[in-house]
Amino acid sequence: MSLPGALSQFDTHLVQPIDEDVNHQWRVARRPDGNVRPGDFGMHIEPIPEPAEGEVLLRTHYLGLAPVMRMYMAGTARTGDATLNIGDVIHGRGVAQVVKSRHPDWREGEVVQGQMGWQTYKVSRMTSQEKFFRMPNNGLPAALGAGVLGMTGLSAHAGLFACGSPREGDRMVLSGAAGGVGSMVGQMAANVAGCDVVGMAGGAEKCAFIREHGCSAAIDYKADDAEAKLDELRPEGIDLYFDNVGGETLEACLERLRMNARVVLCGSISEYTSEEPFKLANYTRLRATESVMRGFFVYNHLDRWEEVMEDIAGWISDGRLKPVQDIEEGFVAMPRALANLYYGANVGVQCCSVRGEPEEWL
């Protein structure tokens, strides 16, 4: 199925205003089989909840999307939040404003980033499990909290700096370079760490995009012989490989490691809809080159949240990082926004605008 035809299933997402007098939720209607389809999602409408003592009422403004959300729906996620059951509200982080507070530590009007779920309102006790953070009113759009100044940003920063240990002059390869994490990693690696980055993306437009966002060269995995291009662009091998896709791409890069190389395992989207995990045949290249391959889970890096967000906001302000968020409009667009990730339709961080920017922001 071609990309336009695949996504046309979701064209019922046409922008519609939400009813401010009720709470809209997207729930799991069935387990996804392969790429997500419209029938996997069910819309539920219920009264807006009232906060009890020690609780706040949050109104959603933006929601972020990540490939792992399909895994939660399918019951195949091995890390993070609990697997979802049929009828559960789909997990997801986003940006919200406190509109009613009966909690001593939170004021009405504050804007927060945290585990909202796919819904337009939420009552919360603001516990550590929901991992809410105040968003500073620093002149940057609140929308960035749904991705660039959110979990996507933390993933990019932690994966590159805490796990990849980039060095100036590193010959780097980055897969999924036009995606949410990849579009940030490419810029951080080139403009902050001083690496030379070869990015991998699908299609001429995405390859042009990544060359404007940190990558000195691009490999079009849809049109190029990827292994031949790796040999052409990295004839001396790879010092640092940041992996967002897994599978055969990971295997090809392992074959081309230099001595003491580093491999960061961030994602494996090429395998998420496969029945069997990819069996990596050449992991012994790590021994031969005395290299390190390291995976990470973003929630294990939450203790560095404020430090990382300060770094990213600073790089945005000084021009070293151009935030790119691919925003679908309207809460009813959430299923399509998730589908974009699996059909390769997004560029940058995939988000959904539920209400747009808060009018007033403490």
Side-chain angles (χ1 to χ4, degrees), residues 16-24 45-46 48 120-121 355:
Q16 302 170 16
I18 57 176
D19 185 345
E20 293 290 347
D21 295 327
V22 294
N23 182 29
H24 299 256
I45 297 175
E46 64 180 27
I48 298 172
T120 57
Y121 289 93
R355 292 182 172 89

Side-chain angles (χ1 to χ4, degrees), residues 221-243:
Y221 68 80
K222 291 184 176 180
D224 295 331
D225 180 329
E227 294 201 44
K229 291 294 287 186
L230 283 170
D231 290 336
E232 173 190 338
L233 296 169
R234 286 287 174 255
E236 298 177 343
I238 299 169
D239 294 306
L240 174 58
Y241 173 52
F242 196 103
D243 182 45

Side-chain angles (χ1 to χ4, degrees), residues 293-304:
M293 183 162 66
R294 179 176 174 182
F296 74 100
F297 181 50
V298 65
Y299 282 94
N300 293 333
H301 296 263
L302 284 174
D303 60 331
R304 298 180 56 238

Side-chain angles (χ1 to χ4, degrees), residues 15-18 60-65 95 120 143 146 325-334 337 350-358:
V15 177
Q16 302 170 16
I18 57 176
T60 311
H61 283 263
Y62 295 95
L63 290 169
L65 284 299
V95 176
T120 57
Q325 298 200 153
D326 194 332
I327 299 180
E328 289 273 4
E329 293 290 338
F331 182 70
V332 291
M334 285 296 290
Q350 183 67 65
C351 306
C352 183
S353 174
V354 177
R355 292 182 172 89
E357 292 291 302

Side-chain angles (χ1 to χ4, degrees), residues 194-217:
C195 303
D196 181 77
V197 186
V198 169
M200 305 179 77
E205 291 185 7
K206 288 189 176 182
C207 285
F209 166 81
I210 66 175
R211 284 192 292 266
E212 296 174 356
H213 291 80
C215 296
S216 63

Side-chain angles (χ1 to χ4, degrees), residues 64 66 68-69 72 79-82 91-94 113-117 128-133 150-152 154-155 158-159 296-305:
V68 72
M69 293 174 181
Y72 292 148
T79 56
D81 298 319
H91 288 314
R93 296 182 66 84
Q113 198 272 5
Q115 180 58 255
M116 287 298 299
S128 59
Q129 287 81 6
E130 292 174 314
K131 304 174 180 67
F132 279 100
F133 299 92
M151 280 297 170
T152 305
L154 183 61
S155 293
F296 74 100
F297 181 50
V298 65
Y299 282 94
N300 293 333
H301 296 263
L302 284 174
D303 60 331
R304 298 180 56 238
W305 178 273

Side-chain angles (χ1 to χ4, degrees), residues 203-333:
E205 291 185 7
K206 288 189 176 182
C207 285
F209 166 81
I210 66 175
R211 284 192 292 266
E212 296 174 356
H213 291 80
C215 296
S216 63
I219 298 174
D220 182 351
Y221 68 80
K222 291 184 176 180
D224 295 331
D225 180 329
E227 294 201 44
K229 291 294 287 186
L230 283 170
D231 290 336
E232 173 190 338
L233 296 169
R234 286 287 174 255
E236 298 177 343
I238 299 169
D239 294 306
L240 174 58
Y241 173 52
F242 196 103
D243 182 45
N244 283 305
V245 301
E248 294 178 355
T249 301
L250 172 59
E251 195 169 72
C253 288
L254 290 188
E255 281 297 318
R256 292 160 175 81
L257 296 182
R258 289 166 55 84
M259 290 296 295
N260 304 117
R262 285 135 288 135
V263 177
V264 178
L265 302 179
C266 179
S268 52
I269 195 168
S270 70
E271 303 176 44
Y272 289 162
T273 59
S274 301
E275 293 185 5
E276 295 292 332
F278 183 81
K279 295 178 173 59
L280 191 62
N282 63 342
Y283 66 91
T284 56
R285 286 292 300 158
L286 297 167
R287 292 207 306 261
T289 57
E290 297 193 16
S291 297
V292 174
M293 183 162 66
R294 179 176 174 182
F296 74 100
F297 181 50
V298 65
Y299 282 94
N300 293 333
H301 296 263
L302 284 174
D303 60 331
R304 298 180 56 238
W305 178 273
E306 292 184 2
E307 170 193 348
V308 168
M309 295 305 130
E310 184 176 345
D311 279 349
I312 295 173
W315 297 333
I316 293 171
S317 296
D318 68 23
R320 284 184 285 179
L321 179 63
K322 299 175 183 177
V324 181
Q325 298 200 153
D326 194 332
I327 299 180
E328 289 273 4
E329 293 290 338
F331 182 70
V332 291

